C-alpha cells in the first residue's frame, strides 16, 4: 500500500458561506400537530435489530406503553408515541432505517400514561446511561442511541460536552425552537449527561443573531453558552479536544425520563421550503407520516422535491408515506428541483478548497469511479463527515460528497480485496 496520505493541511481555513433561510419558521412558536388518524411506528431498535411487537393486533395501548421489545440486556425498546389501537403491521423501505417492519396504530383513544404532575425527585446517583437505554432515547443529531454514545464518551478522558443547537445548515431551526421553549429543561438534561460521563466541561452551542444570543445567555445559569461563527461547517469550540456533540432534543428526553419516568414520544421538526405555505416547527408523534406533516403545514402545489434533513446533508425522498423518527428534524418541500443538470468534472478544484477535512474530493470520486481502490485507500475518505460542502460548490452539479461517503463506507471492505491500482 502506498505510504503517503494525500491530504492538505488540517489548519487551512476551509468551508463555504451559506445563505440562511430559517425564517419565518425560526421566529414562530412550536406548534403541536393536529390530532392524527394513524401513526406508523418502526419496530427497529436504534442498534439496527428488529424488535418483537409487545402488543397484539386489535389490542389497545396508551401513550408510553411498551410497543417494541428488545432482546433482554440488549437493544433499545420502542414505546407507543400515542394512545391507540394496533391495527396491523406494515413493511416499509425507509430512507434512514432501510427495510423495516412498522406497527400501525389507529389514534382512536385519548389519554396517556403520563402527565406533568407525575414529577419525581431526581436521584443524582442514578445510572443515566442505563436509563437512556431502557427509555430508548435516540439522539436526533445523528439517529444514534444516546446510551451508546454516552457509554463511549465515558471511556474518554476530559470530554468537552456540547449540546449542539448551532444548526449551521440553511433551513433547520428545530433545535433553536426547542432550546428557546425549554431552556431550563435542556440545560438540566445536559447536566445529567455531564454527570453520567464525567465531562470536564459543558457548553450549549448556538449560531444566532446577537439579540437572541443575549436573551438566551440571561436564561442559562450553569452552562457556558457558545456563539458559533465562521464558514460552514464551523468549529463548535476552538482549540478543544474530545468534543462530544449531543442534540438538545436528546437532552430534553433524558430530563423527561429522569423527572417524569417518561419515554420519548415526539420529535420537533422544521417544515419549510417554497412549496409549504405555513413554514413552522411542528411537534409530531414518532411515526407520523411525512405526508401528514406536510399537509398540516399546507402544501401549495404538489412539491416536486422533498428532502428529509437540511439542504447540505439531507436525503431526497421520492415518496412521502414514510414515518418520522428521531434523526429527522427538518423537512423541506420545494416546487422545483434545485439542480437540473450534471456535467463531467472539470478539475476546477473548488471541492478541494471547500473541504474542511483537507481531503481531495474530486480525486476520491475519480479513483472510486475508476475502481482504483488501492490508490483510494491513501486519500483518507474515512475522515469525511458528510458535510456536503464539496457538492455545494461544484459547478458541474456533481454530488461529490455522496461519492466520498460511498468510498468511506467501502473502506476496509473493497480496499483489502483489490490489488495495486497503479496500472489503471
Ligand atoms: S462532504 Fe466530506 S469530502 Fe466533501 S467537503 Fe465535507 S468533509 Fe470534505
Ligand atoms: S468542484 Fe466539481 S468540477 Fe470542480 S474539481 Fe471538484 S468535482 Fe470537479
Amino acid at each position: 500500500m502506498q505510504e503517503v496520505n494525500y491530504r492538505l493541511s488540517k489548519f487551512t481555513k476551509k468551508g463555504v458561506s451559506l445563505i440562511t433561510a430559517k425564517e419565518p419558521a425560526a421566529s414562530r412558536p412550536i406548534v403541536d400537530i393536529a390530532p392524527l388518524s394513524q401513526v406508523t411506528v418502526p419496530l427497529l431498535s436504534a442498534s439496527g435489530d428488529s424488535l418483537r411487537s409487545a402488543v397484539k393486533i386489535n389490542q389497545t395501548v396508551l401513550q408510553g406503553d411498551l410497543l417494541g421489545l428488545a432482546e433482554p440486556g440488549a437493544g433499545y425498546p420502542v414505546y407507543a408515541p400515542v394512545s391507540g389501537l394496533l391495527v396491523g403491521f406494515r413493511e416499509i423501505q425507509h430512507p434512514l432505517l432501510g427495510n423495516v417492519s412498522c406497527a400501525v396504530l389507529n389514534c382512536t383513544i385519548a389519554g396517556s400514561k403520563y402527565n406533568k404532575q407525575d414529577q419525581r425527585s431526581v436521584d443524582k446517583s442514578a445510572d443515566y446511561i442505563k436509563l437512556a437505554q431502557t427509555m430508548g432515547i435516540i439522539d436526533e443529531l445523528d439517529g444514534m442511541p444516546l446510551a451508546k454514545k454516552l457509554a463511549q464518551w465515558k471511556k474518554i478522558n476530559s470530554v468537552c460536552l456540547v449540546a449542539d443547537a448551532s444548526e449551521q445548515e440553511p433551513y433547520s431551526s428545530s433545535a433553536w425552537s426547542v432550546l428557546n421553549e425549554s431552556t431550563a429543561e435542556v440545560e438540566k438534561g445536559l447536566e445529567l449527561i455531564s454527570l453520567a460521563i464525567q465531562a470536564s466541561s459543558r457548553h450549549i452551542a448556538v449560531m444566532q443573531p446577537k439579540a437572541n444570543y443575549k436573551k438566551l445567555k440571561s436564561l442559562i445559569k450553569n452552562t457556558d453558552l457558545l456563539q458559533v461563527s465562521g464558514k460552514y461547517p464551523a468549529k463548535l469550540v476552538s482549540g478543544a479536544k474530545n468534543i462530544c456533540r449531543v442534540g438538545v432534543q436528546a437532552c430534553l428526553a433524558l430530563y423527561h425520563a429522569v423527572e417524569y419516568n417518561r419515554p420519548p414520544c415526539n420529535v420537533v421538526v422544521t417544515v419549510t421550503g417554497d412549496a409549504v405555505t405555513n413554514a413552522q416547527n411542528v411537534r409530531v408523534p414518532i411515526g407520523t407520516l411525512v405526508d401528514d406533516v406536510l399537509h398540516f403545514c399546507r402544501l401549495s402545489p404538489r412539491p416536486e422535491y422533498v428532502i428529509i434533513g437540511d439542504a447540505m446533508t439531507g436525503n431526497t425522498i421520492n415518496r412521502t408515506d414514510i414515518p418520522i423518527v428521531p434523526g429527522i428534524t427538518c423537512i423541506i418541500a420545494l416546487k422545483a428541483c434545485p439542480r437540473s443538470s450534471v456535467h463531467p468534472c472539470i478539475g476546477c478544484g473548488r471541492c478541494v478548497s471547500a473541504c474542511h477535512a483537507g481531503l481531495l474530493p474530486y480525486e476520491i470520486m475519480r479513483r472510486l469511479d475508476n475502481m482504483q481502490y488501492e490508490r483510494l485507500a491513501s486519500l483518507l475518505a474515512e475522515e469525511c463527515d458528510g458535510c456536503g460542502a464539496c457538492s455545494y460548490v461544484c459547478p458541474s452539479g456533481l454530488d461529490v460528497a455522496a461519492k466520498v461517503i460511498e468510498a468511506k463506507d467501502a473502506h476496509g471492505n473493497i480496499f483489502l480485496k483489490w490489488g495495486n491500482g497503479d496500472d489503471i
Side-chain angles (χ1 to χ4, degrees):
M1 185 183 287
Q2 221 166 323
E3 286 298 312
V4 63
N5 284 331
Y6 294 102
R7 74 179 283 135
L8 300 179
S9 164
K10 273 193 167 181
F11 305 103
T12 47
K13 280 195 175 169
K14 302 279 188 129
V16 290
S17 301
L18 299 178
I19 51 124
T20 172
K22 295 184 190 295
E23 295 299 344
S27 306
R28 293 177 171 165
I30 300 171
V31 176
D32 287 299
I33 195 166
L36 298 161
S37 56
Q38 201 171 70
V39 293
T40 307
V41 187
L43 293 179
L44 186 77
S45 149
S47 60
D49 304 321
S50 298
L51 301 174
R52 272 181 303 120
S53 175
V55 184
K56 292 197 174 101
I57 292 179
N58 290 329
Q59 268 187 351
T60 56
V61 282
L62 281 179
Q63 183 193 46
D65 276 338
L66 204 54
L67 191 61
L69 289 166
E71 289 308 318
Y76 305 85
V78 167
Y79 295 85
V82 293
S83 299
L85 178 76
L86 181 74
V87 291
F89 299 96
R90 194 181 142 203
E91 292 289 321
I92 284 186
Q93 185 60 39
H94 194 282
L96 299 188
L97 307 175
N99 205 25
V100 59
S101 172
C102 301
V104 182
L105 290 177
N106 275 1
C107 313
T108 44
I109 303 169
S112 163
K113 267 179 90 165
Y114 306 97
N115 63 55
K116 274 226 156 187
Q117 281 68 52
D118 290 344
Q119 192 162 4
R120 55 184 193 176
S121 56
V122 175
D123 176 3
K124 294 259 179 201
S125 62
D127 183 347
Y128 300 123
I129 300 181
K130 186 85 196 142
L131 185 67
Q133 181 178 357
T134 51
M135 288 289 177
I137 299 174
I138 307 300
D139 189 342
E140 80 278 7
L141 276 188
D142 46 21
M144 291 273 290
L146 181 64
K148 192 173 177 181
K149 291 176 75 165
L150 300 190
Q152 284 166 0
W153 294 348
K154 203 177 173 184
K155 295 180 193 152
I156 303 171
N157 278 334
S158 304
V159 164
C160 169
L161 177 65
V162 184
D164 187 359
S166 64
E167 298 184 309
Q168 298 181 30
E169 295 190 50
Y171 290 93
S172 309
S173 56
S174 54
W176 169 249
S177 301
V178 170
L179 183 58
N180 239 341
E181 188 187 80
S182 310
T183 312
E185 290 89 343
V186 169
E187 192 184 2
K188 281 182 195 160
L190 185 67
E191 221 174 307
L192 297 170
I193 292 174
S194 182
L195 265 175
I197 62 166
Q198 298 293 305
S200 59
S201 64
R202 66 172 187 275
H203 316 263
I204 297 175
V206 294
M207 204 173 199
Q208 286 292 321
K210 252 188 186 165
N212 290 1
Y213 174 79
K214 269 178 93 177
K215 192 175 153 210
L216 196 62
K217 183 105 182 145
S218 67
L219 297 172
I220 291 180
K221 304 289 178 210
N222 303 311
T223 307
D224 177 37
L225 182 66
L226 292 168
Q227 174 72 299
V228 179
S229 60
K231 287 182 175 179
Y232 169 85
K235 261 197 176 288
L236 294 181
V237 192
S238 49
K241 281 187 181 161
N242 304 330
I243 298 172
C244 294
R245 293 165 63 235
V246 64
V248 292
Q249 296 198 45
C251 294
L252 188 59
L254 185 64
Y255 170 76
H256 285 153
V258 171
E259 288 273 317
Y260 305 109
N261 197 27
R262 193 169 79 195
C265 294
N266 298 312
V267 190
V268 176
V269 190
T270 306
V271 186
T272 187
D274 62 4
V276 174
T277 308
N278 197 9
Q280 57 193 333
N281 282 291
V282 189
R283 188 179 290 107
V284 304
I286 293 167
T288 305
L289 298 183
V290 169
D291 237 352
D292 290 335
V293 188
L294 287 174
H295 283 105
F296 176 72
C297 297
R298 286 194 280 133
L299 280 181
S300 32
R302 188 91 203 141
E304 188 187 312
Y305 205 65
V306 179
I307 300 166
I308 52 170
D310 211 322
M312 300 295 285
T313 55
N315 296 299
T316 310
I317 52 171
N318 47 24
R319 48 188 293 185
T320 48
D321 60 342
I322 54 159
I324 290 174
V325 291
I328 299 178
T329 53
C330 185
I331 301 171
I332 306 168
L334 300 174
K335 288 178 190 167
C337 177
R339 190 174 270 173
S340 47
S341 56
V342 171
H343 305 282
C345 172
I346 54 170
C348 66
R350 286 191 203 178
C351 53
V352 180
S353 305
C355 181
H356 71 109
L359 305 180
L360 304 174
Y362 76 95
E363 187 66 5
I364 294 171
M365 181 174 67
R366 191 167 73 90
R367 298 295 182 187
L368 185 75
D369 286 347
N370 292 337
M371 297 194 291
Q372 292 173 292
Y373 301 126
E374 182 68 19
R375 290 267 184 93
L376 199 49
S378 60
L379 291 169
L380 301 175
E382 69 277 13
E383 295 203 8
C384 169
D385 65 2
C387 72
C390 49
S391 300
Y392 180 75
V393 296
C394 179
S396 295
L398 295 165
D399 194 355
V400 200
K403 287 286 182 182
V404 180
I405 291 165
E406 195 183 326
K408 174 183 176 168
D409 291 345
H411 184 74
N413 268 330
I414 52 176
F415 292 168
L416 299 177
K417 280 196 222 154
W418 293 75
N420 193 325
D422 286 359
D423 51 335
I424 299 173

